[in-house]
Amino acid sequence: MLQQDSNDDTEDVALFDAEEETTNRPKKSKIRHPVASFFHLFFRVSAIIVYLLCELFSSSFIACMVTIILLLSCDFWAVKNVTGRLMVGLRWWNHIDEDGKSHWVFESRKASSQESKTVSEAESRIFWLGLIACPVLWVVFAFSALFSFRVKWLAVVIMGVVLQGANLYGYIRCKVGSRKNLTSMATSYLGKQFLRQTTGDDQPS
Amino acid sequence: MRSRVREFDSSTLNESVQNTIMRDLKAVGKKFMHVLYPRKSNTLLRDWDLWGPLILCVTLALMLQRGSVDSEKDGGPQFAEVFVIVWFGAVTITLNSKLLGGNISFFQSLCVLGYCILPLTVAMLVCRLVLLAELGPINFMVRFFVVIVMFAWSIVASTAFLADSQPPNRKALAVYPVFLFYFVISWMILTFTPQ
């Protein structure tokens, strides 16, 4: 009976594995890089806040514009080079070879068995939420600037749309590229599990 | 944006933040040095980034402000104007050189054109200092001389990088818009008065 129970346990663990790739993994809902998560949201949100409240903060258009430009640049660099790497293990960049042709490279960290390198769900949610919500807001601002004829802000808003949209596009391509690998990996893994179950049924318990 | 030639893909995925910052800062500094001492170098072009052009553009636009007491028109349109001229001009030149059949990528060309604004930014700084003295023909001659020298420096620096990417019979066609671009910026610098 005990042997039967242990067989059932291993079957349960195998089913668990079919959805995720490694065994004995604790719940990954804690935030492993609080500083990176903070800065990921800080630059984006403060750029939007400064844009909305610029009239209240200072009467100088230039100070507001320079501040927003600096915040958008810092946000672009931080999200592209730091927070994407740390929070979700994705990276994208441009590579120019000897012929002068430019290639866009999208890479993602392979799923490894090390605890410290797996992606935490909370961080992933924060990352994608910040990545998607802010460019949408900047597009809304672009239309409102255009239609309310506040054209002097249009340069800044377009810069916001372009920079944040570029990061969004790059990371989506990283994610889509990696999912193809995940699909094939999961398929082969499920196939192995299925084989193991059918051959395991043949053996006496 | 940055590009990088990487031998080991995994090494940059896991490097520390400080490494990333130092790497990027060193690359920007190296490009500034290359503009000051222009040399034909293909490896520089491969490693493009747009941080230098952004810093230079913002600095130039800030220096080209007319300090006015009236806070409503506090130089806002002029700031955006400089920004638009620099970036729109650089994009147009890049499109022109690509249409002429050049084998340089879009961002590389933007990078070179942006970094070669450095001499003109230095000229703007010098002009602002010279304008602190009393205005007169000598003042104007000094500024004129400085701007002409820096303008020539910008042209030499940018053609050292850009001309090679064109087929030989098209070089003049590709260089002429660059000449015009830096001429417009030099004109803005020369005709600037702080009133």
Side-chain angles (χ1 to χ4, degrees):
Chain A
M1 292 301 282
L2 278 172
Q3 276 181 347
Q4 196 83 336
D5 282 344
S6 66
N7 275 345
D8 285 342
D9 283 344
T10 54
E11 280 189 1
D12 284 339
V13 168
L15 274 175
F16 187 71
D17 279 352
E19 293 162 7
E20 304 174 15
E21 279 117 37
T22 60
T23 60
N24 298 330
R25 205 158 44 165
K27 278 229 185 89
K28 321 164 287 174
S29 60
K30 60 183 173 65
I31 295 182
R32 225 171 274 129
H33 303 105
V35 180
S37 311
F38 171 71
F39 276 113
H40 175 75
L41 293 176
F42 171 71
F43 288 131
R44 321 198 125 212
V45 171
S46 43
I48 290 181
I49 290 179
V50 171
Y51 175 75
L52 289 173
L53 299 181
C54 57
E55 256 100 62
L56 297 175
F57 277 154
S58 88
S59 56
S60 160
F61 166 77
I62 294 181
C64 288
M65 189 162 168
V66 172
T67 313
I68 298 178
I69 287 176
L70 285 177
L71 284 171
L72 285 174
S73 320
C74 288
D75 161 71
F76 180 81
W77 184 88
V79 172
K80 180 170 182 291
N81 289 309
V82 175
T83 63
R85 260 198 298 131
L86 292 178
M87 289 168 82
V88 287
L90 301 172
R91 187 144 195 202
W92 62 280
W93 75 86
N94 179 268
H95 168 62
I96 298 185
D97 60 18
E98 280 86 26
D99 301 329
K101 283 174 39 130
S102 91
H103 306 275
W104 292 97
V105 183
F106 304 95
E107 66 176 10
S108 67
R109 187 182 288 141
K110 309 278 183 294
S112 69
S113 53
Q114 291 175 26
E115 164 63 40
S116 63
K117 298 275 195 285
T118 53
V119 176
S120 113
E121 275 177 35
E123 284 191 342
S124 174
R125 235 176 280 137
I126 294 177
F127 179 80
W128 288 106
L129 186 67
L131 196 68
I132 295 177
C134 292
V136 168
L137 278 175
W138 282 109
V139 170
V140 169
F141 293 153
F143 281 115
S144 94
L146 202 57
F147 292 137
S148 65
F149 297 113
R150 293 164 72 208
V151 182
K152 65 179 184 173
W153 287 110
L154 211 53
V156 173
V157 175
I158 287 182
M159 187 173 167
V161 170
V162 166
L163 288 181
Q164 303 207 340
N167 255 331
L168 178 64
Y169 176 71
Y171 278 115
I172 287 184
R173 277 201 65 172
C174 288
K175 192 80 184 167
V176 166
S178 74
R179 203 180 293 145
K180 289 205 197 95
N181 294 337
L182 275 178
T183 314
S184 58
M185 272 174 65
T187 316
S188 63
Y189 192 84
L190 277 173
K192 271 192 230 135
Q193 283 301 311
F194 181 68
L195 261 170
R196 208 183 297 168
Q197 278 189 19
T198 49
T199 52
D201 280 345
D202 291 345
Q203 289 173 9
S205 54
Chain B
M1 283 195 175
R2 289 217 12 83
S3 80
R4 201 90 179 102
V5 178
R6 294 175 217 270
E7 291 97 21
F8 308 104
D9 281 348
S10 58
S11 62
T12 57
L13 254 187
N14 295 322
E15 67 182 358
S16 72
V17 180
Q18 195 182 357
N19 275 353
T20 314
I21 296 180
M22 290 317 296
R23 194 158 46 83
D24 284 351
L25 281 178
K26 275 198 209 124
V28 172
K30 213 165 70 156
K31 286 197 198 57
F32 277 133
M33 286 293 119
H34 265 273
V35 173
L36 290 177
Y37 304 107
R39 236 167 311 157
K40 285 200 199 324
S41 154
N42 281 331
T43 50
L44 179 78
L45 269 192
R46 236 180 281 158
D47 231 359
W48 60 266
D49 74 76
L50 292 178
W51 292 111
L54 181 72
I55 296 172
L56 289 173
C57 189
V58 170
T59 314
L60 195 62
L62 280 175
M63 285 199 283
L64 275 171
Q65 292 315 303
R66 284 173 172 71
S68 77
V69 185
D70 188 357
S71 67
E72 255 179 41
K73 314 186 73 182
D74 69 329
Q78 288 143 10
F79 187 88
E81 187 182 284
V82 172
F83 230 84
V84 165
I85 286 180
V86 168
W87 288 101
F88 188 69
V91 167
T92 309
I93 296 177
T94 308
L95 283 178
N96 175 63
S97 75
K98 283 198 86 80
L99 286 172
L100 282 175
N103 67 343
I104 194 173
S105 96
F106 181 77
F107 288 110
Q108 277 177 321
S109 170
L110 278 187
C111 167
V112 169
L113 288 168
Y115 270 100
C116 292
I117 296 180
L118 177 66
L120 288 171
T121 310
V122 171
M124 183 70 224
L125 198 61
V126 172
C127 282
R128 277 223 96 153
L129 291 174
V130 168
L131 279 168
L132 290 174
E134 58 175 88
L135 296 173
I138 302 183
N139 197 303
F140 180 77
M141 291 309 294
V142 169
R143 283 186 291 133
F144 183 75
F145 178 70
V146 167
V147 170
I148 287 272
V149 166
M150 293 302 176
F151 168 64
W153 198 334
S154 286
I155 299 269
V156 166
S158 58
T159 50
F161 297 125
L162 285 180
D164 277 345
S165 66
Q166 293 291 335
N169 56 341
R170 296 270 174 85
K171 281 209 204 310
L173 271 177
V175 168
Y176 163 73
V178 177
F179 180 89
L180 210 56
F181 175 65
Y182 290 125
F183 179 77
V184 168
I185 299 181
S186 314
W187 182 259
M188 285 198 299
I189 293 175
L190 191 58
T191 58
F192 171 78
T193 51
Q195 288 325 311

